[in-house]
Amino acid sequence: MITVHHLENSRSQRILWLLEELGLAYEIVEYKRDPDTASAPESLKKVHPLGKSPVITDDGLTIAESGAIIEYLLDKYDVEKRLRPTDGQALLDYRYWLHFAEGSLMPLLVMKLVMMKVPQSPMPFL
Ligand SMILES: N[C@@H](CCC(=O)N[C@@H](CS)C(=O)NCC(=O)O)C(=O)O
């Protein structure tokens, strides 16, 4: 059985979506954010040294990083190759968007969130 260590309001939602698309059985261990700091609880550090989500366990393996988890699940369970192109431009596009999400988009969004919490932003363009 796949277990998802799921932090509320987080990238972990990507993994739940994919598991639903694949029609797989899974269980969720849910973690609540601190109401003041929005940080993950200390208990998440038992499964991820940095206390980050998502993390899954499957068949004795523990896997972190949403992109790596997505690749793992598709390699193992998308046997009919429904969700990931196998070659050509479509595969290049798939890889581009998979990496764009974490490599380019999320850093900007997170920085923007952080700057919104700073009353007088030293970077007003953010
Ligand atoms: N690049 C990682 C990012 C993981 C990450 O930063 N997760 C956030 C939630 S979206 C988290 O666990 N934050 C809790 C904290 O830092 O306290 C991934 O794609 O899985």
Side-chain angles (χ1 to χ4, degrees):
M1 170 77 81
I2 297 168
T3 300
V4 183
H5 292 270
H6 173 74
L7 176 66
E8 63 177 347
N9 300 325
S10 77
R11 292 162 174 89
S12 183
Q13 204 63 41
R14 301 171 81 189
I15 305 308
L16 300 183
W17 165 80
L18 180 56
L19 289 164
E20 290 293 325
E21 284 292 328
L22 289 167
L24 295 171
Y26 60 93
E27 61 181 11
I28 297 175
V29 179
E30 194 168 0
Y31 300 82
K32 297 275 183 208
R33 290 183 183 270
D34 182 293
D36 296 324
T37 66
S39 298
E42 282 295 304
S43 53
L44 195 50
K45 290 193 176 148
K46 289 187 184 136
V47 287
H48 189 304
L50 300 176
K52 302 288 183 190
S53 170
V55 173
I56 67 162
T57 59
D58 183 33
D59 267 343
L61 297 170
T62 300
I63 303 154
E65 279 295 327
S66 55
I69 294 169
I70 288 167
E71 294 283 50
Y72 169 83
L73 291 173
L74 291 176
D75 283 348
K76 184 164 179 185
Y77 295 109
D78 186 18
V79 285
E80 292 167 4
K81 310 281 183 223
R82 271 191 319 117
L83 301 179
R84 179 174 53 192
T86 51
D87 55 20
Q89 187 63 46
L91 178 58
L92 293 176
D93 289 347
Y94 159 85
R95 283 208 193 109
Y96 173 81
W97 289 112
L98 183 68
H99 290 280
F100 175 83
E102 277 304 305
S104 294
L105 182 61
M106 282 308 285
L108 286 176
L109 294 178
V110 169
M111 195 184 296
K112 187 153 190 164
L113 264 178
V114 169
M115 298 315 289
M116 281 166 55
K117 291 190 174 191
V118 178
Q120 287 191 328
S121 166
M123 290 189 260
F125 52 89
L126 289 175

